[in-house]
Amino acid sequence: MQISDKLIKPLTEIKYLNADNVSRYRCIMRIFFENYEKLKYWLYQEDIYEEMIKDPYFAEYKPEQCQQDLAMLVEWENLNTIQDTRKVASIEAFKNKKYRYQMSEYSVEIERLVLRLENLFIEGASLEPTLLERITGIATAHE
């Protein structure tokens, strides 16, 4: 085994999978992933917030919580940001930075893995050959 910096460095990108607000973080990351799959890479806070409150589970979710959640995901390097200056009409608007968010490459792969794990039980639900033989043996014995 070759020890490298990548091997011994903690993966901060997976913190959202076990953090205190895991339900919010996982849903946010899934929204990003589903949009990523549709080739819509950059999203605004408003896009995320609107998507979250569509579900009754997040009926009490506030824009401030969304902003905090996105900031945490940026800190954990799950999301990249870029300041959106296209809609800036004043210095005040520039100071109230409006960001666009994009999933990091690591996060895309983490979400792919999480999706595969969520669907593992479906893929593993095939019949064993010996069980199939016993079923067909029983069926032919009753004929």
Side-chain angles (χ1 to χ4, degrees):
M1 173 174 63
Q2 181 67 39
I3 305 296
S4 67
D5 289 342
K6 285 186 179 183
L7 179 62
I8 59 175
K9 162 188 159 299
L11 289 173
T12 58
E13 294 90 351
I14 62 169
K15 284 187 177 183
Y16 79 94
L17 295 173
N18 273 332
D20 287 340
N21 296 316
V22 66
S23 61
R24 296 188 337 221
Y25 296 135
R26 291 204 51 203
C27 289
I28 289 170
M29 293 306 291
R30 188 58 53 88
I31 291 166
F32 272 100
F33 184 73
E34 287 173 355
N35 279 280
Y36 177 89
E37 293 285 291
K38 296 174 189 169
L39 306 178
K40 186 176 181 189
Y41 303 120
W42 291 96
L43 299 173
Y44 290 96
Q45 175 184 328
E46 294 79 16
D47 300 328
I48 300 301
Y49 178 74
E50 290 301 318
E51 200 61 38
M52 292 286 280
I53 61 171
K54 282 181 184 176
D55 193 294
Y57 184 86
F58 291 107
E60 304 296 316
Y61 194 56
K62 304 285 180 248
E64 297 78 25
Q65 289 174 301
C66 186
Q67 185 175 10
Q68 291 168 353
D69 292 344
L70 291 170
M72 202 73 245
L73 289 164
V74 168
E75 185 177 318
W76 289 331
E77 299 177 13
N78 295 108
L79 301 175
N80 300 317
T81 61
I82 188 168
Q83 186 174 1
D84 186 22
T85 55
R86 292 180 300 165
K87 299 177 184 176
V88 175
S90 67
I91 293 174
E92 189 61 34
F94 185 79
K95 287 180 184 176
N96 295 332
K97 296 176 182 173
K98 193 164 180 97
Y99 292 104
R100 290 187 299 158
Y101 299 86
Q102 176 188 45
M103 282 183 93
S104 69
E105 289 180 40
Y106 263 49
S107 295
V108 170
E109 294 305 319
I110 291 166
E111 276 302 302
R112 279 196 181 119
L113 172 65
V114 169
L115 266 171
R116 276 200 312 272
L117 292 172
E118 288 172 2
N119 293 312
L120 252 186
F121 75 95
I122 295 169
E123 294 169 12
S126 63
L127 286 173
E128 289 185 38
T130 57
L131 182 59
L132 189 57
E133 288 170 13
R134 283 194 313 185
I135 292 170
T136 55
I138 293 169
T140 53
H142 289 307
E143 289 178 356

